[in-house]
Amino acid sequence: MSGFDISMYRDMFVEEAEELFESADNVLLEAEKNGSLTDDEMGQLFRDVHTLKGSGASVELAYFAEFTHDVENMMDKLRNHEIEFIPEMAGTLIDGLDVMKEILQLECDDEITRELFTEKTQELLVVIRAYINGEDASADSSSSSEVKESTPAPTETTSVEKSNTNKSWGFFGEETAESENDNEVELNENFGFFDDAETITPEAKIEASEVKDEPKVSAPKAATPPKAKKELKEAPVAKKAAASTIRVNLDKIDLLMNNVGDLVITNAMLTQFSTTIEEAKVRSSVLERLELLERHIRDMQDSIMSIRMVPMESIYSKFPKVVRDISKKLNKKIAFEHEGDTVEIDKAMIEGLTDPLMHIIRNSLDHGIEMPDERVAAGKPETGTITIAAEQANGQMIITIKDDGKGIPADLVAEKSLKNDLIDEQQMASMTDNEKAMLIFGAGVSTAESITDISGRGVGMDVVKTNITKLGGVIQLDTGLGIGTTITIMLPLTLAILDGLDIAVGDTKYILPLSSIVESLQPTAEMIKKIGDGTQDLLMLREEFIPVVRLHQLFDIEPKHTQLEKGMLIVVKSGATKIAMFIDEFLHQHQVVVKPLDKNFRSVEGIGAATVRGDGSIGLILDIMGIIDAQKKSEQINLDLKDPTSNLKAS
């Protein structure tokens, strides 16, 4: 093994291990809830843990494989009905998976020792081995001595033997057809891409000759029940199904999307050039073929996008375990429900979305849902409910997180924000309850009376807003004391591609995302109302007053028109906020490949991203939320200039 870098294979294993842990956790959470396990679920649990053990051993994670072997034995006894499942076992197995994750992390970080391993595992091993032996797991036992006696020394043959049980490693094709008795595997069997099996021992390598001289340790052979034999016959089908998928790095798909984007640009260049062909018949034939090419490119874009899209279920699967662990720690009864599992979202957005959703759910668990006795006293069910739902509407992904807890104390949040200088007293006096509650997303704002390991530092919700804004989304909050809180997140369906509308302001062209457009119109004088000193215009549209934003003022551009009646107004919205953007004209719509501006240049207020146009020039994509924020700042500056004391606090 000298000169062989195991880290690459470990990274592959850790990536798959996360999915296997999620799969096993979800089965066990349902079992804990229902108090039962079906034969299919027992088989799935065994396969998940068996793959974890074998793959972990193959990448030289010997401590991980050693502990996982005991968990696997318990799973094997259950699926073969050698021991009967009782509801308490679900909690033990969930704890076992948690310890497996901890050992895996420690061993990957090279921070594990035999003493630390024993400390982390000995208490749980007593319970697991009691179940395996059919004993009363709840009985008091001399845990440390019993475990030390039953745990094989690192240089014993069993350490090698029990690690060397998986013939097909998870990240090279999930193993579904297991041996009827894993302990019958030969000691010197090769792992396939390693030299010798003995290199997986925790503390020291065992020479092959030493291994062969020692007696082979094997467990008593139990008769394989009919159910297990049936499972073995069906395994090849499962293996064939597993082999029909392939794991691809997202960067490669991004590169493919960029290449298709280059094709779009080249096609646009050819289309523009073809207009210079003098012969009408030739020009018409060339344009016809270019239109066909454009359709094919669009189909290719859609195909790549479908590869990038994954169901929301992949995000939801991370939360049941969190809800279960935190609710037990807080002694609360909480049910987690989810809707829209099959709604798809861009894979690139999942990482940025998972953390905000986790923060929101943790806050609902800690601050939102009341203790059972408080809920009963308030006339509510003893068990609180957190519901997360996803849907696609109006070209957006809409995610709603709702709890039936005590709601957010808006006045308390406002007072904390005032103390942190996020608002002044004048602003606080004019705010609605929901606007005050929205201040919970400010830095350092928390309603917790004390800091815990769950929440209370005032950074979680700040992170939520920051991450959602980075994804081009907006957040809305609706809360009621004693009723509960609903947080709505609105996101673009994808960050990679969008349908845009070209608009012109003076000699400059911008791209406006179609999903944000409500309507466009040429206003009449009667539709425009002025407020204050006449510098701020409002569009009155069907009894609704919408602020007018003059883009030429925002971007300091010389416009063709300064009178609203001579130009165009496009009503756009971000979340529940609407503005009417004043432009000179709008041109045509087209599909654009989105390039992040901050990575290639720098962040610009009001500009969300960029693209390359057909003529090779750079097209700037407007950021509606940024424009709304810039408008609010402008209004506040004007207010401060008129009343210099508006931001001074009353002493």
Side-chain angles (χ1 to χ4, degrees), residues 47-48 51 120-121 157 204 208 210 223 234 262 273 326 361 470 502 649:
R47 287 191 296 273
D48 289 343
T51 302
K120 297 287 183 184
T121 62
T157 310
E210 292 177 357
E234 294 173 350
D262 292 339
F273 177 76
I326 294 180
I361 288 174
K470 284 181 181 177
D502 272 339
K649 295 182 182 179

Side-chain angles (χ1 to χ4, degrees), residues 118-185:
T118 303
E119 177 189 333
K120 297 287 183 184
T121 62
Q122 64 178 4
E123 187 176 339
L124 197 56
L125 280 174
V126 171
V127 180
I128 290 174
R129 288 172 179 171
Y131 280 132
I132 290 174
N133 297 327
E135 300 168 359
D136 182 5
S138 62
D140 187 26
S141 59
S142 53
S143 57
S144 59
S145 60
E146 186 173 328
V147 174
K148 286 175 183 175
E149 288 174 10
S150 56
T151 303
T155 54
E156 287 182 3
T157 310
T158 50
S159 179
V160 177
E161 182 183 28
K162 68 184 178 185
S163 299
N164 187 11
T165 54
N166 195 352
K167 299 177 184 177
S168 172
W169 315 118
F171 44 80
F172 295 110
E174 182 177 347
E175 179 180 25
T176 52
E178 296 88 9
S179 168
E180 290 185 23
N181 193 330
D182 292 320
N183 291 315
E184 292 180 349
V185 180

Side-chain angles (χ1 to χ4, degrees), residues 322-360:
V322 173
V323 173
R324 180 252 187 196
D325 290 347
I326 294 180
S327 58
K328 285 186 71 174
K329 180 178 285 189
L330 298 174
N331 293 319
K332 294 181 179 180
K333 295 184 178 180
I334 302 172
F336 176 70
E337 298 177 357
H338 46 90
E339 302 168 6
D341 294 36
T342 58
V343 176
E344 292 188 328
I345 187 170
D346 190 341
K347 176 78 165 87
M349 299 179 74
I350 286 184
E351 286 185 15
L353 185 59
T354 302
D355 280 349
L357 292 180
M358 188 69 76
H359 279 300
I360 292 172

Side-chain angles (χ1 to χ4, degrees), residues 182-198:
D182 292 320
N183 291 315
E184 292 180 349
V185 180
E186 292 299 325
L187 291 177
N188 60 353
E189 182 185 14
N190 196 287
F191 283 111
F193 52 91
F194 294 118
D195 297 333
D196 296 297
E198 63 268 18

